[in-house]
Amino acid sequence: MSQNGNGRIGSLDGLRGLAAGIVLIHHASLIAEPWMDPAGWALLTQSPLKLLLAGSEAVMVFFVLSGMVVALPALRPGFSWARYYPARLIRLYVPVIAALGAASLLVQLIPRDASTMPENSWMQDAQATSVSAGDVLSQMTLLRPNYPIDNVLWSLRWELFFSLLLPLYLWAALRIRRFAIPAAVLAVILMFVGRTTGESALAYLPVFLLGTLLAVRFADLQAWAERPRVRRALPWLAGVAGTLLIASWLARPITAGTIAADVLWALAGAGAALLVVLALVWPGAHRVLDARPMQWLGRVSFSLYLVHAPILASLCYLLGAEQWWLACLIGIPLSLVVARVFHALVERQAQDLARQAGTIGAALAERVQVRRVRAARRVALARAQ
């Protein structure tokens, strides 16, 4: 597995960066969609080209990655839950609050009239045209189902729930680790049930379990990938992973409006998990994902994810709906620049603050434990006397 200078798995950072870039392009394509010829849009979304625009599917990759990389440290000796919880919550909330504040400021500064945007478009349906203190505070909690000020925050809601439920995920994954493949199949089935019934928690939370299962079978993955037959099959598995990821789009002309569409949507979770496996063990993936541009994207991926949608939407309102192409032309590179600044000014500071909070939490837990031990000793001595 490829390691970067920080001791992290470099290929996973590259995969995270690639996924963030795809989400950025996906949202730019949603701005362009109302102005495109239907045949051209079908070519983009119902062919392998969809891999470049698979924003929702890229979020599933994020979920699998979180399920694995958040769980891995918890499996090591000396892991402290008292350190984990304050650090993890600060790591999530500080960038989210900063991004939401910046997005709210953009809504206040740039006039927005939804009627000027194409009917039933992403710009009209998913972007806030005004903000209030109550809106900002409620979306800041990450407990709402919708986030019009910065609509990518819908996925951070599930990241939060997974982070809080990590002990339960680990408990389950460790007990079913011998049956990881059947368990992964069950997770995909649960995703299908959630999609069909409209239960978002059931649709998305099992994706994290796929990553947690990879964490508890981490060493086995390395041994599996060393088999000559498996090594020869890895390029073909990349094709399978990509197909599973966008199968619901490729089959859309046939399955639209049927239960088969929900089945194929759930299979995107399996495709995302397989992509993470390939990023770990396939040398061909390492050559791409370890490249400097991918590593740079991986470094700023969380910041890019948080800041790009408000920038694209604000430019579209500022320049006018018919200048959508200019909004995208400016918005994509501008999002990358802002992400770099946001990473330096906010995300890195949040990381430092999270480490400090984790250290304090671990120290407090240690003090509590020492006091409990001393109290137990006093009780034992008193009984002995």
Side-chain angles (χ1 to χ4, degrees):
M1 297 182 187
S2 61
Q3 299 282 329
N4 60 26
N6 297 322
R8 296 162 60 92
I9 301 173
S11 57
L12 294 187
D13 284 341
L15 180 61
R16 188 179 291 106
L18 177 62
I22 288 173
V23 173
L24 169 63
I25 297 172
H26 166 68
H27 283 139
S29 75
L30 293 183
I31 292 175
E33 179 186 3
W35 307 95
M36 293 186 64
D37 178 73
W41 181 253
L43 176 64
L44 283 176
T45 59
Q46 296 169 21
S47 74
L49 291 173
K50 175 60 183 175
L51 287 170
L52 301 175
L53 309 174
S56 299
E57 293 76 16
V59 171
M60 289 195 188
V61 174
F62 286 140
F63 288 171
V64 176
L65 282 169
S66 292
M68 187 178 73
V69 301
V70 176
L72 276 173
L75 295 169
R76 298 171 187 155
F79 177 79
S80 168
W81 291 107
R83 182 187 299 272
Y84 162 77
Y85 274 112
R88 182 63 177 165
L89 293 176
I90 288 175
R91 179 72 178 84
L92 284 174
Y93 270 110
V94 170
V96 164
I97 291 170
L100 194 56
S104 301
L105 184 61
L106 286 174
V107 175
Q108 295 276 27
L109 292 176
I110 298 174
R112 299 184 175 201
D113 181 357
S115 65
T116 63
M117 294 294 150
E119 288 291 325
N120 301 317
S121 66
W122 180 71
M123 283 298 304
Q124 186 178 78
D125 297 340
Q127 307 301 322
T129 55
S130 62
V131 293
S132 67
D135 289 334
V136 176
L137 290 174
S138 66
Q139 292 179 50
M140 193 180 293
T141 64
L142 295 180
L143 299 177
R144 286 176 44 145
N146 62 320
Y147 298 85
I149 298 175
D150 188 354
N151 59 59
V152 301
L153 297 185
W154 71 269
S155 68
L156 272 297
R157 178 186 184 219
W158 303 117
E159 293 275 1
L160 172 66
F161 290 165
F162 163 70
S163 298
L164 295 174
L165 294 172
L166 180 59
L168 179 60
Y169 275 84
L170 283 172
W171 178 86
L174 287 169
R175 277 151 184 78
I176 60 176
R177 67 182 305 276
R178 292 178 55 193
F179 311 99
I181 292 178
V185 171
L186 177 60
V188 172
I189 292 173
L190 290 175
M191 291 173 60
F192 159 72
V193 174
R195 178 75 169 186
T196 302
T197 60
E199 292 291 338
S200 297
L202 202 55
Y204 292 112
L205 288 178
V207 188
F208 293 96
L209 180 61
L210 296 174
T212 310
L213 288 169
L214 293 180
V216 300
R217 297 295 299 267
F218 196 73
D220 299 325
L221 281 175
Q222 294 175 288
W224 171 78
E226 290 299 323
R227 300 175 186 174
R229 184 178 297 180
V230 173
R231 279 191 170 275
R232 290 192 295 269
L234 291 177
W236 297 99
L237 288 177
V240 172
T243 301
L244 289 174
L245 202 67
I246 60 170
S248 63
W249 290 90
L250 297 178
R252 182 160 287 197
I254 303 171
T255 63
T258 69
I259 196 169
D262 293 334
V263 173
L264 294 176
W265 179 90
L267 288 177
L274 189 51
L275 282 177
V276 173
V277 171
L278 290 167
L280 284 170
V281 303
W282 183 28
H286 295 171
R287 286 191 289 272
V288 174
L289 299 175
D290 288 345
R292 293 181 69 178
M294 290 299 176
Q295 289 296 298
W296 183 88
L297 272 176
R299 200 157 47 246
V300 303
S301 58
F302 188 36
S303 296
L304 177 61
Y305 187 74
L306 289 175
V307 304
H308 76 276
I311 290 173
L312 290 172
S314 297
L315 282 170
C316 205
Y317 271 111
L318 181 65
L319 299 172
E322 294 185 355
Q323 301 298 315
W324 62 268
W325 59 273
L326 185 57
C328 294
L329 189 64
I330 296 173
I332 290 175
L334 181 60
S335 294
L336 295 171
V337 172
V338 173
R340 177 66 184 87
V341 174
F342 190 90
H343 177 264
L345 298 182
V346 177
E347 189 178 354
R348 287 177 61 181
Q349 312 310 313
Q351 291 168 353
D352 291 341
L353 184 60
R355 281 190 287 269
Q356 294 169 14
T359 300
I360 293 171
L364 291 174
E366 186 175 352
R367 287 185 182 180
V368 170
Q369 182 63 22
V370 168
R371 289 177 180 176
R372 286 178 178 173
V373 170
R374 289 175 178 172
R377 287 175 179 172
R378 287 195 296 268
V379 170
L381 287 172
R383 289 177 177 174
Q385 292 173 356

